[in-house]
Amino acid sequence: MGTAVGTGTATITATSEGQSAGGTVKVDTRTGFLTAIVDSVRQAYDFPALAATSVTRDGGTFGMAAAGRRRVSLNIPVTTSDHWHIGSNLKAITAHVAGIAVHAGAISWTTTLEQAYPEFAGTMRPEYKNVTLRQLLGHLGGIIPNVNNPAVPGGGSLTSQRANIAGWATSLAPTGAVGSYTYSNVGFMIAANMVERAMAMPWEDVMQTRLLAPLGITGFGWGAAPFGPNQNPIGHQYSGGTWVEWPGLDNPPYLSAAGRTHWTLEGWGKVIQEIMRADQGQSVLVSQAVTRVNTTAQITTGPGAGSASGAFVTGGNWTAGGRAVTHDGSNTVNFARFQIALDRGVAVLTVANGDDPVPGRSNNAMAALSNRLWVYYDRHR
């Protein structure tokens, strides 16, 4: 009998009646340790379920774990192969796809709204005319945060609906001064619409053909994950002292590029690995120069300081002094976070199938889980 104390290999030799035999056994305790970490944080903050993965630039998945229930009303455990909603953490991926389009020469970081939408020349307010694709990806366009007129999308394809919203949004007075930080889901949707029009294919097809297929990612889908007892976690919101289930709840399809997707931990990790590789000039999809535009802050002081493209440049203690980006995501019933230490080539991704609107709880749970995963990585890499 033996007890594992760490991940690695061990040579075991047995002797019986003067005869000996031996062999090498692989010892993998990482999954157990990570699951214990995830579950301890889940219990401490009373979430239905939490999951996490650590990813390295050169080696891929370092470890992953999940703990808790798919829904509070059923005692069915989550798994690491389930699909999780990552909310606005998709924005960094949307920016990466925009970078792929820039690399292909279909559009430029400096393409303006006036250039992209000549059909709105008569209705577009002058403040918006010189707003660029890059500014939209950094929430610097002054665009209204969300669609507040249900009639605006109109009919037709999703591409047409997004163009209709772009025309409506740019006819309104800016929510904030152009060039200053105003978080906007609509601005991100417009950026994606500029790319899909330039690429002459729907945004969903741009994602599939230019990112997901080349990376071999199948653990992905639009909207809320298919739900059922034997399918995936559903979203919950804490209300009235209890977790309330919200199966299938998500944003409308025209906002997909702003944060309307579900992923497996492996699939999400592969995209984050691609972003880390691209940042070091190791991607076959996009150049380092184009990627570094996305990972560089557009503003450094004041509200929104550190805003890059779908992420914030940060100096978190997990970066060991190197460049890093981070972002949170929520569709009000799920919560997720990524932290990418770009110079170290390591990322930690965390997600919950619940969100508490009371300030602090979701953030504190993700901070606690992320911090423990960084400590684990540094001790066991």
Side-chain angles (χ1 to χ4, degrees):
M1 177 179 178
T3 301
V5 295
T7 299
T9 60
T11 301
I12 299 175
T13 303
T15 302
S16 177
E17 297 181 358
Q19 301 296 315
S20 298
T24 300
V25 178
K26 184 177 181 180
V27 179
D28 183 5
T29 60
R30 185 172 296 162
T31 298
F33 283 135
L34 291 176
T35 301
I37 290 172
V38 171
D39 197 41
S40 67
V41 175
R42 182 195 68 80
Q43 292 185 54
Y45 290 90
D46 185 29
F47 271 79
L50 294 177
T53 184
S54 301
V55 182
T56 67
R57 180 178 59 232
D58 299 322
T61 300
F62 173 78
M64 64 174 64
R69 298 180 179 185
R70 286 176 173 164
R71 55 196 307 169
V72 293
S73 63
L74 295 173
N75 190 23
I76 298 177
V78 293
T79 74
T80 54
S81 59
D82 284 350
H83 285 234
W84 303 81
H85 199 289
I86 68 169
S88 287
N89 288 313
L90 180 69
K91 286 182 168 69
I93 300 172
T94 294
H96 192 68
V97 175
I100 293 172
V102 170
H103 178 76
I107 196 168
S108 167
W109 290 133
T110 58
T111 298
T112 66
L113 286 171
E114 184 177 38
Q115 292 169 335
Y117 297 104
E119 68 269 35
F120 300 139
T123 59
M124 183 180 295
R125 290 179 61 102
E127 298 98 322
Y128 296 118
K129 291 186 175 181
N130 292 320
V131 170
T132 66
L133 173 64
R134 188 188 181 205
Q135 285 180 306
L136 291 173
L137 295 172
H139 302 288
L140 305 181
I143 303 291
I144 189 171
N146 294 295
V147 176
N148 61 14
N149 183 346
V152 169
S157 67
L158 288 175
T159 299
S160 297
Q161 291 179 42
R162 289 186 275 255
N164 291 341
I165 294 171
W168 165 76
T170 56
S171 71
L172 304 175
T175 301
V178 171
S180 64
Y181 183 82
T182 303
Y183 192 89
S184 176
N185 288 311
V186 173
F188 244 83
M189 182 221 68
I190 294 173
N193 186 235
M194 291 169 65
V195 172
E196 67 181 334
R197 282 159 59 110
M199 299 285 281
M201 68 176 79
W203 174 256
E204 293 76 8
D205 291 346
V206 177
M207 277 274 295
Q208 180 61 41
T209 61
R210 296 306 181 104
L211 180 70
L212 302 176
L215 296 180
I217 293 174
T218 56
F220 165 87
W222 294 104
F227 59 90
N230 297 308
Q231 288 183 294
N232 297 291
I234 68 169
H236 299 74
Q237 189 175 82
Y238 198 77
S239 177
T242 188
W243 287 106
V244 179
E245 299 179 357
W246 287 95
L249 179 69
D250 207 3
N251 292 306
Y254 56 75
L255 278 177
S256 283
R260 186 180 169 273
T261 55
H262 55 85
W263 302 72
T264 61
L265 294 174
E266 179 184 24
W268 188 18
K270 281 185 177 180
V271 174
I272 298 302
Q273 183 187 23
E274 153 67 14
I275 291 173
M276 290 190 288
R277 290 178 61 81
D279 181 76
Q280 296 295 309
Q282 300 172 0
S283 170
V284 299
L285 304 179
V286 59
S287 70
Q288 181 183 41
V290 169
T291 304
R292 289 284 177 97
V293 170
N294 277 337
T295 56
T296 300
Q298 297 191 51
I299 54 175
T300 57
T301 60
S307 180
S309 298
F312 285 90
V313 176
T314 179
N317 57 16
W318 35 270
T319 69
R323 296 176 307 119
V325 291
T326 186
H327 204 271
D328 289 348
S330 171
N331 66 344
T332 74
V333 295
N334 299 275
F335 195 89
R337 172 173 295 170
F338 70 75
Q339 296 177 333
I340 308 175
L342 292 166
D343 288 335
R344 294 182 66 190
V346 188
V348 165
L349 318 177
T350 55
V351 64
N353 66 335
D355 191 13
D356 186 351
V358 175
R361 182 178 186 174
S362 297
N363 175 71
N364 292 341
M366 288 295 137
L369 181 54
S370 298
N371 290 342
R372 290 188 64 181
L373 291 174
W374 281 108
V375 170
Y376 183 87
Y377 174 79
D378 284 332
R379 288 179 178 174
H380 299 280
R381 58 191 169 132

